[in-house]
Amino acid sequence: MNNLELNTMYCESNLETMSKMTNEFIDCVLTSPPYNIFNTKAKDRGYDYYEDNKTDLEYIDWTIEIFNEFNRVLKKDGVVIYNMGYGTENPNLMSLTIANIIQKTNFSLADIIVWKKSTAMPNSPSKNRLTRICEFVYIFCRKDELYSFNANKKIISESNNAKFYESINNYIDAPNNDESNDLNKATFSTKFARKLLNIYAKENYIIYDPFMGTGTTAKACVIDKFNFIGSELSKAQVEYANKRLQPYLNQQTLF
């Protein structure tokens, strides 16, 4: 039996939260993990809580452990929507991590979505590195579900027992975040989360965000009538998110 309540953020590690889930409990994962790119203290970079000082091997092993739990708690044909970027400090780690997920877990890379942000911050002082205004969203499914995983593509015609589906481009134009705050400056926007969930989730799905931060995934779920569960190590961010969500929990209007 699950020892969890729906539509709740838990102030604990994602591995602890998932340990309380029964097999095949959640429908979809939507998250953006720490990128392991900061070489200074988190508080000096404007973050309330940020475990971002692992070695490459530690970071990859930690990610593999999380994905192995995703494999256990994710329902059949569910997807993991994984927004991950890279930094000047360590541009290789993102690609190494994705490769290790594919090689060492039961997940396959199904799609890569390009997220075009409204602004790129900070502007790069480098003489040869480009300003990163785009990030990537990696869509993972289990290896044996590559041709069956859930997506909301509509059938537009049928002919000779063949079905033809609408075209959904692998490009999303959405703001960086909803609002700046002093607890976490690396958040994505509700518009971004809603666009992704509109592709891969159905009403009443259980959406899990293992790095919930200030609650943007939860806000998107409340607006579009999904259930959510979140994990977040920062008590301050959990409190901030709960206050932020309250107005949306008290009304049914879609925004």
Side-chain angles (χ1 to χ4, degrees):
M1 179 179 293
N2 291 292
N3 189 23
L4 296 168
E5 292 185 15
L6 295 181
N7 304 317
T8 303
M9 286 182 61
Y10 290 89
C11 189
E12 60 191 18
S13 75
N14 49 56
L15 291 171
E16 184 174 354
T17 303
M18 286 191 283
S19 73
K20 302 170 187 175
M21 298 180 185
T22 55
N23 295 347
E24 298 188 8
F25 176 63
I26 59 174
D27 295 282
C28 178
V29 174
L30 169 58
T31 198
S32 183
Y35 297 169
N36 208 50
I37 59 176
F38 294 163
N39 53 17
T40 59
K41 292 182 179 179
K43 290 185 182 296
D44 296 336
R45 297 290 291 265
Y47 295 86
D48 166 66
Y49 196 108
Y50 213 88
E51 287 193 331
D52 216 8
N53 56 356
K54 295 177 173 61
T55 66
D56 286 2
L57 182 58
E58 287 172 339
Y59 184 85
I60 290 169
D61 287 346
W62 171 71
T63 302
I64 296 303
E65 187 176 8
I66 291 169
F67 266 76
N68 284 335
E69 274 296 275
F70 288 166
N71 183 51
R72 185 183 66 81
V73 301
L74 191 65
K75 290 180 183 177
K76 185 179 186 304
D77 291 324
V79 297
V80 177
I81 307 170
Y82 210 67
N83 164 227
M84 191 174 182
Y86 63 96
T88 303
E89 297 92 337
N90 191 350
N92 295 319
L93 182 57
M94 178 182 72
S95 297
L96 288 171
T97 302
I98 300 303
N100 274 270
I101 291 170
I102 296 167
Q103 292 172 348
K104 297 180 180 179
T105 77
N106 193 32
F107 286 94
S108 174
L109 184 60
D111 265 313
I112 301 174
I113 297 173
V114 176
W115 170 28
K116 163 62 168 55
K117 299 182 288 186
S118 300
T119 58
M121 294 180 64
N123 290 325
S124 176
S126 172
K127 70 176 182 179
N128 59 6
R129 306 289 292 277
L130 305 184
T131 300
R132 295 183 294 277
I133 199 165
C134 290
E135 287 196 13
F136 302 99
V137 183
Y138 297 90
I139 308 301
F140 290 98
C141 67
R142 293 186 182 90
K143 288 182 169 70
D144 62 353
E145 296 171 356
L146 186 59
Y147 299 101
S148 63
F149 69 88
N150 297 320
N152 297 324
K153 295 184 70 176
K154 297 176 182 176
I155 298 172
I156 57 175
S157 66
E158 297 186 51
S159 177
N160 297 324
N161 296 322
K163 297 178 181 179
F164 298 89
Y165 294 86
E166 66 175 321
S167 177
I168 300 177
N169 295 328
N170 66 333
Y171 176 87
I172 288 178
D173 194 332
N176 299 41
N177 51 52
D178 294 339
E179 55 193 21
S180 179
N181 65 79
D182 294 331
L183 297 175
N184 191 338
K185 298 186 184 300
T187 61
F188 51 60
S189 64
T190 302
K191 184 176 181 180
F192 169 77
R194 292 182 69 189
K195 285 188 174 184
L196 289 167
L197 292 174
N198 184 61
I199 299 172
Y200 295 107
K202 292 180 172 63
E203 188 172 328
N204 296 321
Y205 265 23
I206 300 173
I207 312 300
Y208 178 52
D209 189 338
F211 305 98
M212 184 64 91
T214 55
T216 303
T217 297
K219 179 181 173 183
C221 288
V222 171
I223 291 172
D224 285 337
K225 298 183 179 179
F226 305 120
N227 295 298
F228 71 85
I229 292 175
S231 302
E232 174 53 50
L233 288 169
S234 165
K235 181 179 178 182
Q237 290 192 61
V238 172
E239 291 175 350
Y240 176 95
N242 285 330
K243 290 179 182 178
R244 179 185 179 197
L245 287 174
Q246 203 58 47
Y248 300 92
L249 292 169
N250 292 336
Q251 58 186 322
Q252 299 298 319
T253 306
L254 299 185
F255 294 81

